[in-house]
Amino acid sequence: MFGLGTIINTVLVLLGGFIGLLFKKGIYQRYEKTLMAACGVSTIFIGVTGTLQGMLTVVDGKIQTNGTMLLIFSFVLGGLIGEFINIEKRMDSLGEKLKKLLHAEKDNKFVEGFVNTSLIICVGAMAIVGSIQDGLTGDYSMLTAKAVLDLVIVVIMTSTYGLGAMCSAIPIFVYQGGITLLGHFAGNVISDELIGYLSYIGSALIFCVGINITFGKKIRVGNLLPALLIPVFYVLGKNILANVNF
């Protein structure tokens, strides 16, 4: 049965949120600042590691860099598209609506927690690759492993940000579920090359989230999300050109 991985992931995110809310009741402000810094630095290193894994290769004992120009073009073009659509504002608006729906108007960290946590657990390599695997073969082992990691992340984020972080269960269900469906019905056109590109660009986005958590909101990461579309068009264009006889 495909899609089970996303269901498990969503349930564990909710569980992590419940545990985090229990911890939050007993956390003093000085602990909150330390936990926030810990979340930020950890997220930065997760993003850096995933990005470098996708971009660096060792050939004849020498380190070589691949995909630099694709990363640059993905972020620049994706950023332009995201700014035009203003995805960040839409994510904030969704957070505000959830905030009102859950009667959490006095929670000043709700929207920030919702957006940051959603980005961390949605745009990483495991979310993309695991969802495709689940859709293609019904193998949800990678998403199950990710779900356990997300459980820990959401416990920490919810204990710091509150209920908003727990609501990241909604976008994780929609995002991973959508990729799983795409993998199931169009899996034969998704190449390993494309998966690799999506993985390291997603990791670069996670790095940006880590910057925001650590140093305050410096980067509109939501508006950079279309960067994940650029590799899709790049691979499609490359395949079309390869099959054209000049």
Side-chain angles (χ1 to χ4, degrees), residues 134-152:
D134 191 3
L136 279 173
T137 65
D139 179 7
Y140 55 88
S141 57
M142 183 177 289
L143 284 186
T144 302
K146 175 184 176 293
V148 176
L149 293 174
D150 287 350
L151 170 69
V152 177

Side-chain angles (χ1 to χ4, degrees), residues 145-193:
K146 175 184 176 293
V148 176
L149 293 174
D150 287 350
L151 170 69
V152 177
I153 291 170
V154 174
V155 167
I156 297 172
M157 296 296 280
T158 307
S159 66
T160 305
Y161 284 110
L163 186 61
M166 183 178 175
C167 289
S168 61
I170 298 172
I172 199 72
F173 180 78
V174 174
Y175 177 77
Q176 286 186 180
I179 295 176
T180 299
L181 286 173
L182 180 63
H184 183 71
F185 293 108
N188 57 336
V189 300
I190 301 175
S191 64
D192 291 339
E193 180 186 29

Side-chain angles (χ1 to χ4, degrees), residues 15-240:
L15 177 61
F18 281 119
I19 296 172
L21 289 175
L22 292 175
F23 278 121
K24 184 174 177 61
K25 294 179 180 179
I27 291 180
Y28 297 105
Q29 187 173 5
R30 66 189 183 95
Y31 293 135
E32 277 193 22
K33 291 180 179 179
T34 301
L35 282 174
M36 187 80 75
C39 286
V41 173
S42 299
T43 304
I44 286 173
F45 275 97
I46 290 170
V48 169
T49 302
T51 306
L52 293 181
Q53 281 179 343
M55 295 183 68
L56 299 182
T57 56
V58 179
V59 180
D60 297 328
K62 295 180 181 179
I63 297 176
Q64 295 184 355
T65 305
N66 302 303
T68 303
M69 294 308 297
L70 180 59
L71 178 65
I72 294 171
F73 278 112
S74 294
F75 266 60
V76 172
L77 295 177
L80 289 172
I81 296 169
E83 286 293 337
F84 179 76
I85 302 173
N86 206 347
I87 297 173
E88 187 88 8
K89 183 179 179 180
R90 295 174 189 276
M91 291 183 72
D92 288 344
S93 297
L94 176 58
E96 290 290 350
K97 289 178 182 177
L98 288 171
K99 184 177 176 180
K100 290 180 181 178
L101 183 65
L102 297 172
H103 304 291
E105 288 87 351
K106 295 181 180 179
D107 187 349
N108 296 326
K109 293 182 179 180
F110 187 99
V111 175
E112 186 180 0
F114 169 71
V115 173
N116 283 341
T117 309
S118 298
L119 289 171
I120 290 173
I121 64 178
C122 282
V123 300
M126 293 180 78
I128 297 168
V129 179
S131 297
I132 292 173
Q133 282 184 351
D134 191 3
L136 279 173
T137 65
D139 179 7
Y140 55 88
S141 57
M142 183 177 289
L143 284 186
T144 302
K146 175 184 176 293
V148 176
L149 293 174
D150 287 350
L151 170 69
V152 177
I153 291 170
V154 174
V155 167
I156 297 172
M157 296 296 280
T158 307
S159 66
T160 305
Y161 284 110
L163 186 61
M166 183 178 175
C167 289
S168 61
I170 298 172
I172 199 72
F173 180 78
V174 174
Y175 177 77
Q176 286 186 180
I179 295 176
T180 299
L181 286 173
L182 180 63
H184 183 71
F185 293 108
N188 57 336
V189 300
I190 301 175
S191 64
D192 291 339
E193 180 186 29
L194 176 57
I195 293 172
Y197 290 151
L198 291 174
S199 296
Y200 82 75
I201 289 173
S203 294
L205 289 171
I206 286 181
F207 168 80
C208 296
V209 178
I211 293 292
N212 284 349
I213 295 173
T214 307
F215 302 106
K217 194 168 185 178
K218 306 290 184 183
I219 305 170
R220 289 197 287 267
V221 182
N223 287 350
L224 289 175
L225 286 178
L228 291 168
L229 296 175
I230 306 305
V232 177
F233 292 113
Y234 170 72
V235 171
L236 285 175
K238 193 167 119 177
N239 290 340
I240 290 171

